[in-house]
Amino acid sequence: MILIRDAGPADVPAITDLTNALIATTTYEWTETPYTVEDRRAWLAAKARDGMAVLVAEADGRVVGWAGYGDFRDTTRWPGYRFTVEHTVHVREDHWGRGVGGRLLDALAGRARAAGKRVMVAGIDGSNEDSIRFHGRRGFVEVARLPGVGEKFGRRLDLVLMQRDL
């Protein structure tokens, strides 16, 4: 049984571990520097302050996934983007293919819709075909492919933008 709920301060170590799990070996997260629990505590507090949802998936008392959203672009400078959010979803590798990511993303989209958001955007590393297929199954459509805009491990990376109307 998977429980989807709001993330709280006690979830920060698990969120940090999940986020860091593939940093050293993949280009899914475009940083080579792992996050710290302190970084993630400040991040979660800022999300709460700004009214941005962060959810966790819990199985047998353990956090096995998390998802959250934030502004797509700087909505203070460009308020025309205020109805669009960009999200992220992370699931423990031993829970891939079990529906955890889909449940998190559906719940997150519901939260965004309830907050008055109209569009959800996914920014995905071009080599992450599993994520591109996952988002396609959840109603996201590829709207842009930006070649070579990122870099990690000394390689230039493509960014795929997918979006879904809420």
Short mmCIF file of all heavy atoms in Angstrom, two decimals, residues 83-84 109 113 117-121 138-141 143 162-166:
data_model
loop_
_atom_site.label_atom_id
_atom_site.label_comp_id
_atom_site.label_asym_id
_atom_site.label_seq_id
_atom_site.Cartn_x
_atom_site.Cartn_y
_atom_site.Cartn_z
N PHE A 83 1.02 31.07 -13.85
CA PHE A 83 0.09 29.94 -13.91
C PHE A 83 0.76 28.66 -14.40
O PHE A 83 0.09 27.65 -14.64
CB PHE A 83 -1.11 30.28 -14.81
CG PHE A 83 -1.88 31.47 -14.31
CD1 PHE A 83 -1.85 32.67 -15.00
CD2 PHE A 83 -2.62 31.39 -13.14
CE1 PHE A 83 -2.56 33.77 -14.53
CE2 PHE A 83 -3.32 32.48 -12.66
CZ PHE A 83 -3.30 33.67 -13.36
N THR A 84 2.09 28.70 -14.56
CA THR A 84 2.84 27.55 -15.06
C THR A 84 3.86 27.11 -14.01
O THR A 84 4.54 27.95 -13.41
CB THR A 84 3.56 27.91 -16.37
OG1 THR A 84 2.58 28.33 -17.32
CG2 THR A 84 4.34 26.74 -16.93
N ALA A 109 -0.22 17.07 -9.75
CA ALA A 109 -0.98 17.82 -10.74
C ALA A 109 -2.30 18.30 -10.14
O ALA A 109 -2.74 19.44 -10.39
CB ALA A 109 -1.23 16.97 -11.99
N ARG A 113 -3.40 22.18 -9.87
CA ARG A 113 -4.68 22.62 -10.40
C ARG A 113 -5.48 23.35 -9.32
O ARG A 113 -6.05 24.41 -9.55
CB ARG A 113 -5.46 21.42 -10.95
CG ARG A 113 -6.70 21.78 -11.73
CD ARG A 113 -7.43 20.54 -12.30
NE ARG A 113 -6.58 19.55 -12.92
CZ ARG A 113 -6.19 18.39 -12.38
NH1 ARG A 113 -6.59 18.03 -11.19
NH2 ARG A 113 -5.42 17.56 -13.04
N LYS A 117 -3.02 26.71 -10.92
CA LYS A 117 -2.03 26.56 -11.99
C LYS A 117 -2.70 25.94 -13.21
O LYS A 117 -3.66 25.17 -13.08
CB LYS A 117 -0.85 25.71 -11.53
CG LYS A 117 -0.17 26.22 -10.27
CD LYS A 117 0.28 27.65 -10.38
CE LYS A 117 0.94 28.13 -9.10
NZ LYS A 117 1.33 29.53 -9.18
N ARG A 118 -2.20 26.27 -14.38
CA ARG A 118 -2.84 25.81 -15.62
C ARG A 118 -1.98 24.87 -16.45
O ARG A 118 -2.49 24.08 -17.24
CB ARG A 118 -3.19 27.02 -16.48
CG ARG A 118 -4.18 27.94 -15.81
CD ARG A 118 -4.46 29.13 -16.69
NE ARG A 118 -5.22 30.13 -15.95
CZ ARG A 118 -5.17 31.42 -16.19
NH1 ARG A 118 -4.42 31.88 -17.18
NH2 ARG A 118 -5.88 32.25 -15.47
N VAL A 119 -0.67 24.97 -16.29
CA VAL A 119 0.25 24.18 -17.11
C VAL A 119 1.35 23.64 -16.21
O VAL A 119 1.87 24.36 -15.35
CB VAL A 119 0.87 25.03 -18.24
CG1 VAL A 119 1.90 24.23 -19.04
CG2 VAL A 119 -0.21 25.58 -19.16
N MET A 120 1.72 22.37 -16.43
CA MET A 120 2.84 21.77 -15.72
C MET A 120 3.90 21.38 -16.76
O MET A 120 3.57 20.80 -17.79
CB MET A 120 2.38 20.55 -14.94
CG MET A 120 3.46 19.93 -14.09
SD MET A 120 2.81 18.65 -12.98
CE MET A 120 2.34 19.66 -11.59
N VAL A 121 5.15 21.73 -16.48
CA VAL A 121 6.26 21.50 -17.39
C VAL A 121 7.24 20.51 -16.75
O VAL A 121 7.49 20.56 -15.55
CB VAL A 121 7.00 22.82 -17.71
CG1 VAL A 121 8.26 22.58 -18.53
CG2 VAL A 121 6.07 23.79 -18.41
N ARG A 138 1.49 9.97 -18.90
CA ARG A 138 0.73 10.80 -17.95
C ARG A 138 0.14 12.02 -18.64
O ARG A 138 -0.31 12.95 -17.99
CB ARG A 138 1.60 11.26 -16.79
CG ARG A 138 2.31 10.21 -16.06
CD ARG A 138 1.68 9.17 -15.29
NE ARG A 138 0.53 9.17 -14.49
CZ ARG A 138 -0.11 8.03 -14.21
NH1 ARG A 138 0.30 6.90 -14.72
NH2 ARG A 138 -1.14 8.03 -13.43
N GLY A 139 0.16 12.04 -19.97
CA GLY A 139 -0.49 13.13 -20.70
C GLY A 139 0.40 14.29 -21.07
O GLY A 139 -0.07 15.30 -21.60
N PHE A 140 1.70 14.18 -20.85
CA PHE A 140 2.63 15.23 -21.23
C PHE A 140 3.00 15.08 -22.70
O PHE A 140 3.09 13.96 -23.21
CB PHE A 140 3.91 15.18 -20.38
CG PHE A 140 3.73 15.70 -18.98
CD1 PHE A 140 3.09 14.95 -18.02
CD2 PHE A 140 4.21 16.96 -18.63
CE1 PHE A 140 2.91 15.42 -16.73
CE2 PHE A 140 4.05 17.44 -17.35
CZ PHE A 140 3.40 16.67 -16.40
N VAL A 141 3.23 16.20 -23.36
CA VAL A 141 3.60 16.22 -24.77
C VAL A 141 4.94 16.93 -24.90
O VAL A 141 5.16 17.99 -24.28
CB VAL A 141 2.52 16.98 -25.58
CG1 VAL A 141 2.92 17.09 -27.04
CG2 VAL A 141 1.17 16.31 -25.44
N VAL A 143 7.36 19.41 -26.24
CA VAL A 143 7.15 20.70 -26.91
C VAL A 143 8.46 21.35 -27.34
O VAL A 143 8.45 22.28 -28.15
CB VAL A 143 6.35 21.69 -26.02
CG1 VAL A 143 4.93 21.18 -25.83
CG2 VAL A 143 7.03 21.92 -24.69
N MET A 162 8.62 18.96 -21.78
CA MET A 162 7.32 18.36 -22.01
C MET A 162 6.32 19.15 -21.16
O MET A 162 6.68 19.66 -20.10
CB MET A 162 7.32 16.88 -21.63
CG MET A 162 8.28 16.06 -22.47
SD MET A 162 8.25 14.29 -22.06
CE MET A 162 6.74 13.78 -22.90
N GLN A 163 5.08 19.23 -21.63
CA GLN A 163 4.10 19.95 -20.84
C GLN A 163 2.75 19.27 -20.89
O GLN A 163 2.45 18.50 -21.80
CB GLN A 163 3.98 21.40 -21.29
CG GLN A 163 3.18 21.65 -22.53
CD GLN A 163 3.06 23.13 -22.84
OE1 GLN A 163 4.05 23.85 -22.84
NE2 GLN A 163 1.85 23.58 -23.09
N ARG A 164 1.96 19.59 -19.89
CA ARG A 164 0.60 19.06 -19.76
C ARG A 164 -0.30 20.17 -19.27
O ARG A 164 0.01 20.84 -18.28
CB ARG A 164 0.61 17.91 -18.76
CG ARG A 164 -0.74 17.38 -18.38
CD ARG A 164 -0.59 16.22 -17.43
NE ARG A 164 -1.75 16.10 -16.57
CZ ARG A 164 -1.84 15.22 -15.59
NH1 ARG A 164 -0.86 14.40 -15.33
NH2 ARG A 164 -2.92 15.19 -14.87
N ASP A 165 -1.40 20.38 -19.94
CA ASP A 165 -2.40 21.31 -19.45
C ASP A 165 -3.10 20.67 -18.26
O ASP A 165 -3.41 19.48 -18.27
CB ASP A 165 -3.42 21.65 -20.53
CG ASP A 165 -2.89 22.64 -21.55
OD1 ASP A 165 -1.85 23.27 -21.28
OD2 ASP A 165 -3.50 22.78 -22.61
N LEU A 166 -3.34 21.48 -17.25
CA LEU A 166 -3.99 20.97 -16.05
C LEU A 166 -5.49 21.18 -16.10
O LEU A 166 -6.24 20.64 -15.36
CB LEU A 166 -3.39 21.65 -14.80
CG LEU A 166 -1.90 21.37 -14.60
CD1 LEU A 166 -1.36 22.22 -13.46
CD2 LEU A 166 -1.65 19.90 -14.32
#
